[in-house]
Amino acid sequence: MGEGTLVLVGTPIGNLGDLSPRAVEALRDADVIACEDTRRTRKLLTHAGVHAPHLVAVHDHNEAAQVRRLLARLDAGERVAMVSDAGMPGIADPGERLVRAATGAGHRVEVVPGPSAAVAALVVSGLPSGRFCFEGFLPRKGSGREERLRAVAAERRTTVLYEAPHRVRRTIADLLEACGPDRPVTIARELTKAFEETWRGTLEAADRYLDGTEPRGEHVLVLGGAGPPEAATQDEVELALRRHLDAGGTKRDAAASVATELGIPRRWAYEIATRLG
Ligand code: SAM
């Protein structure tokens, strides 16, 4: 059994106020901090008042070698903290490999949970969150991308995708082609930052919304699942429709709003609306 401790520490996805007191403590107590970009992590540490920590950069190109070095430090009984540039390590960021190596060698692995853009976007989307799927970044091109788009289109659960700003329009267009126009989607941008914005609608409307724009900043796309999601029952749809109809909306408008709210196809909501007395 190893004697070292690896602590995965969640850091803010934009707003430094989201750095938790436990995260500061974990960073202060670490013998060494594994991070992606040492300059970025140093800024965070300065903000947190953590001084002179030993930083080790771990990124795609050196991960295997750095994991071996960090494992040696764990073997020596040290406390290793791991952060990524933002959010939770291991979520579309390095982390998984070091955790596997540490647990394999019998070291203790702890976590100080913090924000993650995926969960933040999911909960703010209003789409069913009881069961969901995290896709991270889609492959950029080729058959890998096409296959994944097909799988995402068939997925019944809400799907969360990360995307770089200059690729958001292309990905929305591809999702529109794969999933059809009525699929609900939320575009969550710059979460927790000054220009935070959450847009909700269908893929067709999202395509129009983005047309001619140059999206900037960090984006998460949250896509409603295929078909009637398990989270929305017929009773829930009827209840939501009645609320809109009682407020004076037409059946068509009520169906469109309820489809977006509950993440169900507009056709299904409209069918139920026409059957309501
Ligand atoms: N480990 C991070 C986490 O737990 O969220 C994710 C790292 S991944 C390399 C970076 C991607 O996360 C961005 O391209 C974007 O899709 C998403 N992201 C990170 N911060 C965000 C924010 N403040 N608002 C919206 N999306 C964000």
Side-chain angles (χ1 to χ4, degrees):
M1 179 76 181
E3 308 233 311
T5 304
L6 170 66
V7 194
L8 299 156
V9 182
T11 61
I13 56 169
N15 190 323
L16 290 177
D18 293 336
L19 187 69
S20 75
R22 263 194 85 216
V24 175
E25 197 180 306
L27 295 171
R28 191 178 294 131
D29 291 350
D31 294 301
V32 57
I33 299 176
C35 61
E36 288 185 273
D37 178 345
T38 51
R39 272 181 312 177
R40 197 165 163 156
T41 298
R42 249 182 235 293
K43 271 194 200 151
L44 181 76
L45 295 173
T46 303
H47 163 84
V50 176
H51 302 295
H54 185 53
L55 298 186
V56 169
V58 179
H59 43 73
D60 284 352
H61 306 297
N62 70 358
E63 200 176 348
Q66 293 297 57
V67 164
R68 280 196 298 277
R69 285 180 56 191
L70 291 165
L71 203 55
R73 299 193 69 144
L74 288 168
D75 290 340
E78 290 193 5
R79 207 171 160 80
V80 176
M82 178 166 210
V83 296
S84 63
D85 279 351
M88 284 305 291
I91 300 296
D93 270 338
E96 190 181 308
R97 243 188 172 142
L98 183 57
V99 171
R100 247 197 320 267
T103 53
H107 296 295
R108 190 176 163 78
V109 179
E110 297 174 358
V111 64
V112 177
S116 186
V119 172
L122 173 70
V123 297
V124 87
S125 74
L127 291 168
S129 57
R131 297 176 69 220
F132 68 95
C133 205
F134 176 64
E135 270 295 326
F137 293 93
L138 289 174
R140 289 198 172 178
K141 53 187 179 188
S143 59
R145 183 173 173 90
E146 279 161 30
E147 256 168 50
R148 200 73 72 79
L149 280 163
R150 273 199 297 277
V152 166
E155 175 57 58
R156 299 289 296 261
R157 294 166 293 180
T158 300
T159 296
V160 182
L161 301 122
Y162 284 164
E163 194 48 283
H166 64 283
R167 299 185 56 85
V168 166
R169 278 169 61 191
R170 170 84 265 154
T171 294
I172 288 287
D174 287 353
L175 287 169
L176 172 60
E177 200 180 313
C179 308
D182 291 339
R183 189 73 75 90
V185 67
T186 292
I187 305 175
R189 176 177 166 264
E190 295 285 86
L191 291 167
T192 78
K193 303 189 205 177
F195 297 104
E196 173 168 347
E197 199 173 66
T198 304
W199 182 94
R200 300 172 185 84
T202 60
L203 280 173
E204 189 179 41
D207 192 51
R208 274 201 311 272
Y209 167 70
L210 295 172
D211 190 33
T213 63
E214 199 52 69
R216 282 169 194 271
E218 303 201 88
H219 288 71
V220 181
L221 310 178
V222 186
L223 186 74
E230 288 166 36
T233 62
Q234 173 132 350
D235 284 352
E236 285 170 324
V237 178
E238 285 185 12
L239 206 70
L241 283 168
R242 280 196 198 285
R243 215 178 45 242
H244 282 277
L245 293 171
D246 290 347
T250 63
K251 288 189 173 177
R252 191 167 294 281
D253 289 347
S257 305
V258 169
T260 304
E261 267 168 43
L262 298 182
I264 58 170
R266 201 187 309 181
R267 273 189 308 278
W268 190 48
Y270 188 66
E271 250 174 57
I272 296 175
T274 55
R275 278 189 261 121
L276 288 179

